[in-house]
Amino acid sequence: MKHEPIKRIKGTQDILPDEARLWQWMEQQAREVFAQWHYGEIRVPVIEYTKLFARGVGEETDIVSKEMFSFERSNRSLSLRPEGTAGVVRSYIEQGLVNAPKPLKLWYQGPMFRYERPQEGRQRQFHQLGVEVFGQDTAYIDAEVIALSARLFEKLGILGDVSLTVNNVGNPEHRPAFREALKQRLHPVLEELCEDCQRRYTTNPLRMLDCKVPTCQAHYNSEEITDFLTHYDWGDATTTAYRQTLELLSGMGLTFKTDPKLVRGLDYYSRTVFEWSTDKLGAQSAVCGGGRYNALVEQLGGAPTPAVGWAIGLERLLKLVTSPQTSPLDAYVVSFPETYSAAFKLANQLREAGLSVEQDSSGKAFGKQLQAANKRGASYALIVGVDEWANGEVTLKNLSTGEQKQYKPEEVNTLLFKE
Ligand code: HAM
């Protein structure tokens, strides 16, 4: 009986070795930047109680209301994390990190799950790299986390491909008044808006502003709405800190624009929010998003703690990165049944000495083994031939020049290291 092959779930991806090398390289760059900026890594579960995200990200957000992978176990609703911030905040509270010296600077990386309609750049399982900084509410910290993202893009060679947009969304306590004022202004055109926006009008009016439907956009871009958004008064303290953040960004030579319609898809933000986007990836243009979230720790049961952070979508980031790192293979050991054991030992000795080595024990002819060595991009073929081995020698062939010479096996690793 022939069995049907089982396919991967729609919206998920396999990352094969060639691509995984690019991931590893990118992760390495990120680790180096985080080490320099002194951010510590945190690893939290990919599964949490659903209520964490409902309370953290917001019941009315698209993420929680439509996109969670949730299921019941022992009468409790669990969810695969749709984002990283809520879990990190949960851990911050549960692990007593409130007692750690402040500001506490953390980074994380891993898979996130959102049941969205899959398309280019939008998956159901995707990966984020993120930072969260707890315990200090200053424009300097806001500017630092934004500068950190810029530094990472710079190190990856893509700073020129992404652009930064910043906005002030005020404090959560000021948001109800803002929502009401926005609704009042949009009320006359409510009937002309798309179904989603009509729903959002009651559930989450801010989200109307980033609707992609052109007729809705026309209304939100009208002079009246633009004027209202641009000049909305969020109060002195918020506005001063936001302005100072912008000044710090300019002072660092970072180019950015402000956009009063940038609202973000999660409810926890206060004051400064930002997004990095690109015009190189089609519709899914957001590469990184983040902002300050001063009320979330308290909302999730901790002591009031200001915080700020961002997350980068790694699949999108990787599409911009063009630094394919080939993995170096120092030596490809060509061997034959009579010399398999000797070659096996030699290969391991070379690995222990720090070289990257592969042994061919396929039983294929000499020429085919050499072809395989070339195909893998090996620098050398180390030929453990039957007669040579009997004479206590091996042949080292430089695969780029074609030169070859015989050596004692114990000479090989010093020779390879010299090259
Ligand atoms: P977010 O804007 O929802 O923010 O996601 C951050 C990034 O994740 C997006 O800019 C995008 O690159 C990527 N992303 C989101 N959904 C998908 C998807 N379905 N497929 C591929 N990539 C996707 C957050 O998640 C916040 N937790 C960021 C944050 C951290 N704010 C404060 N701290």
Side-chain angles (χ1 to χ4, degrees), residues 8 33 69 94 98 100 104 128 138 206 215 229 320 342 345 355 374 394:
R8 69 192 147 90
V33 174
F69 282 89
E94 190 172 350
V98 63
L104 176 66
Q128 283 186 348
T138 65
L206 258 71
T215 45
L229 293 172
L320 300 174
K345 233 166 134 183
L355 295 162
N374 277 311
V394 292

Side-chain angles (χ1 to χ4, degrees), residues 60-111:
E60 299 300 342
T61 57
D62 282 355
I63 296 178
V64 170
S65 66
K66 299 196 268 194
E67 298 169 1
M68 292 240 280
F69 282 89
S70 303
F71 49 93
E72 292 266 325
R73 273 288 173 277
S74 310
N75 291 327
R76 290 183 191 252
S77 178
L78 311 179
S79 293
L80 297 180
R81 63 180 180 190
E83 59 102 55
T85 310
V88 172
V89 171
R90 196 253 328 122
S91 174
Y92 173 88
I93 299 165
E94 190 172 350
Q95 302 300 332
L97 295 176
V98 63
N99 299 317
K102 300 292 173 328
L104 176 66
K105 300 175 179 183
L106 303 171
W107 72 272
Y108 56 89
Q109 188 208 338

Side-chain angles (χ1 to χ4, degrees), residues 123-176:
Q123 293 161 222
R124 290 182 174 167
Q125 177 177 337
F126 60 100
H127 296 78
Q128 283 186 348
L129 176 75
V131 302
E132 313 294 351
V133 177
F134 294 94
Q136 200 168 303
D137 183 10
T138 65
Y140 287 96
I141 292 288
D142 293 358
E144 176 184 303
V145 298
I146 297 175
L148 172 57
S149 57
R151 173 67 194 121
L152 187 58
F153 294 138
E154 190 185 22
K155 194 163 162 103
L156 295 170
I158 59 160
L159 188 55
D161 298 329
V162 288
S163 49
L164 175 63
T165 307
V166 192
N167 188 28
N168 179 5
V169 292
N171 283 327
E173 65 267 27
H174 299 144
R175 211 141 322 127

